[in-house]
Amino acid sequence: GNAPPGVDPEAFSWFQTVDTDHSGFISVKELKQALVNNNWSSFNDETCLLMINMFDKTRSGRIDVYGFSALLRFIQQWRSLFQQYDRDQSGSISFSELQQAFSQMGYNLSPQFSQLLLARYAQRSPNPSIQLDRFIHICMQLQSLTDAFREKDTALVGNVRLSYEDFLSMVVTRML
């Protein structure tokens, strides 16, 4: 059939291919099978779940064709940003490229913190680097946690005082 109003025909066509069970919805499993990084590895489960949850307006754990179309636009924007920061065109982002990306995005993060993220999200190798899916994951979490922090940092001074339970509540509501 034809694409519904407001849905890009290419996104509709891809939706029909990705919807392997023909349910009219895309699950995390179907999304994971459809998305690949520059090195042809599948997107990470956590990242797929994060993105499904972001575009799942009904909280059913899956997205319809409208959510899928929006998700494709979202991924394309991130892919384009990723390619900007992948200065050596290697298909992944190195430590120095990650540092530059954070700085250009307005995050004032220490090299130690970037190293921590690299250790957590990069594949183990002599020269660890970040694939597109993990870059999206890191940036979504940074944005979400930054928003949570700013709700508490009303004077915009860069630090807040909060209880352990407030901290846990911030993390749990923003990251899970």
Side-chain angles (χ1 to χ4, degrees), residues 79-145:
R79 186 179 303 273
S80 148
L81 199 61
F82 179 86
Q83 288 167 340
Q84 259 183 304
Y85 297 128
D86 179 16
R87 302 220 191 290
D88 63 1
Q89 303 300 301
S90 65
S92 61
I93 292 184
S94 66
F95 171 75
S96 62
E97 290 168 336
L98 189 63
Q99 275 289 108
Q100 286 180 323
F102 288 153
S103 174
Q104 289 176 1
M105 290 172 167
Y107 294 108
N108 185 15
L109 303 171
S110 71
Q112 293 81 6
F113 186 75
S114 295
Q115 198 62 55
L116 178 67
L117 288 174
L118 208 60
R120 163 71 170 87
Y121 290 103
Q123 294 174 326
R124 307 260 179 260
S125 78
N127 295 313
S129 60
I130 302 287
Q131 296 295 321
L132 174 63
D133 63 333
R134 295 306 205 156
F135 179 72
I136 293 171
H137 192 111
I138 290 167
C139 291
M140 285 175 69
Q141 288 188 326
L142 268 177
Q143 183 60 54
S144 181
L145 290 172

Side-chain angles (χ1 to χ4, degrees), residues 20 40 50 66 68 83 96 153 159 161 168 170 172 175:
T20 54
W40 298 104
L50 205 58
Y66 296 100
F68 184 73
Q83 288 167 340
S96 62
D153 183 18
N159 56 54
R161 186 176 185 92
L168 290 176
M170 263 173 58
V172 168
M175 305 218 15

Side-chain angles (χ1 to χ4, degrees), residues 54-93:
M54 184 176 179
F55 291 94
D56 174 15
K57 301 302 179 213
T58 62
R59 296 284 167 241
S60 63
R62 51 197 197 151
I63 53 175
D64 63 12
V65 68
Y66 296 100
F68 184 73
S69 183
L71 173 63
L72 288 182
R73 283 192 304 275
F74 173 82
I75 291 172
Q76 194 47 50
Q77 290 169 340
W78 280 111
R79 186 179 303 273
S80 148
L81 199 61
F82 179 86
Q83 288 167 340
Q84 259 183 304
Y85 297 128
D86 179 16
R87 302 220 191 290
D88 63 1
Q89 303 300 301
S90 65
S92 61
I93 292 184

Side-chain angles (χ1 to χ4, degrees), residues 18-21 23 25-34:
V18 173
D19 182 18
T20 54
D21 66 0
S23 65
F25 295 92
I26 303 294
S27 66
V28 171
K29 182 181 173 194
E30 288 169 323
L31 185 64
K32 182 181 168 68
Q33 291 171 334

